[in-house]
């Protein structure tokens, strides 16, 4: 009789150990997944790949800075000027990674509802490979002014 009780206890203990192992394994899987609410990336570029930045503010001429043949930043529009390299590098670095608070619509068809049909600021980021990323920044008044 006492042998059966010991066997039963051993079986229950083995079942509990198995459940504990399985529970910890599931928690580890969940921990490995990124949370759904992580701020989605709008842009993820490499700073050394950025060749040109074109800044367009509503109502003003576009300002363009780009790297010349020696890798130095230079303003090419509205006029050609030398620029402070540290400031240009900081601007380029800021453009490499842009995150959002949340994802509203991954592929919007109507930008007007987000105030981006006539953006307040538009930044065109051109990489060495010729690919251009466009970043639109709206204002509080959808549709613009």
């Amino acid at each position: 009789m006492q042998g059966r009780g010991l066997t039963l206890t051993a079986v229950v203990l083995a079942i509990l150990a198995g459940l504990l192992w399985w529970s910890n394994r599931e928690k580890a899987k969940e921990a490995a997944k990124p949370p759904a609410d992580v701020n989605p990336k709008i842009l993820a570029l490499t700073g050394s790949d950025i060749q040109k930045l074109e800044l367009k503010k509503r109502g003003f001429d576009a300002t363009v800075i780009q790297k010349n043949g020696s890798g130095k930043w230079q303003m090419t529009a509205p006029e050609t000027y030398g620029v402070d390299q540290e400031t240009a590098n900081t601007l380029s670095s800021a453009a490499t990674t842009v995150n959002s608070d949340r994802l509203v619509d991954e592929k919007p068809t109507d930008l007007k509802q987000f105030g981006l049909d006539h953006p307040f600021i538009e930044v065109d980021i051109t990489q060495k490979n010729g690919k251009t990323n466009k970043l639109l920044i709206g204002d509080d008044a959808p549709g613009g002014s």
Side-chain angles (χ1 to χ4, degrees):
M1 193 81 155
Q2 200 170 15
R4 275 184 34 186
L6 185 59
T7 303
L8 183 60
T9 302
V11 169
V12 169
L13 184 59
I15 291 172
L16 289 175
L19 288 173
L20 181 63
W21 172 82
W22 180 80
S23 173
N24 287 340
R25 192 176 121 216
E26 292 300 312
K27 285 181 185 177
K29 283 182 184 177
E30 287 298 317
K33 291 182 186 176
D37 294 333
V38 170
N39 298 346
K41 288 187 186 213
I42 295 173
L43 285 177
L45 306 172
T46 304
S48 62
D49 286 341
I50 295 178
Q51 186 67 28
K52 178 171 126 179
L53 294 168
E54 185 172 354
L55 306 156
K56 303 172 193 170
K57 184 176 179 183
R58 189 183 322 137
F60 293 91
D61 292 335
T63 301
V64 179
I65 63 169
Q66 67 183 54
K67 289 184 180 176
N68 60 21
S70 63
K72 300 284 185 187
W73 290 101
Q74 184 174 7
M75 182 185 294
T76 58
E79 296 182 37
T80 302
Y81 290 110
V83 296
D84 180 61
Q85 296 302 301
E86 187 175 327
T87 302
N89 285 329
T90 300
L91 181 62
S92 172
S93 178
T96 59
T97 302
V98 179
N99 294 328
S100 65
D101 289 336
R102 64 188 169 98
L103 182 63
V104 177
D105 189 351
E106 192 165 336
K107 302 243 186 229
T109 55
D110 180 20
L111 296 178
K112 187 174 185 173
Q113 66 180 333
F114 303 111
L116 297 174
D117 57 331
H118 300 289
F120 185 66
I121 298 174
E122 179 180 324
V123 182
D124 295 337
I125 305 163
T126 305
Q127 299 176 60
K128 286 180 183 177
N129 64 8
K131 182 180 178 190
T132 299
N133 296 87
K134 189 176 296 258
L135 179 64
L136 303 176
I137 302 170
D139 57 11
D140 292 339
S145 52

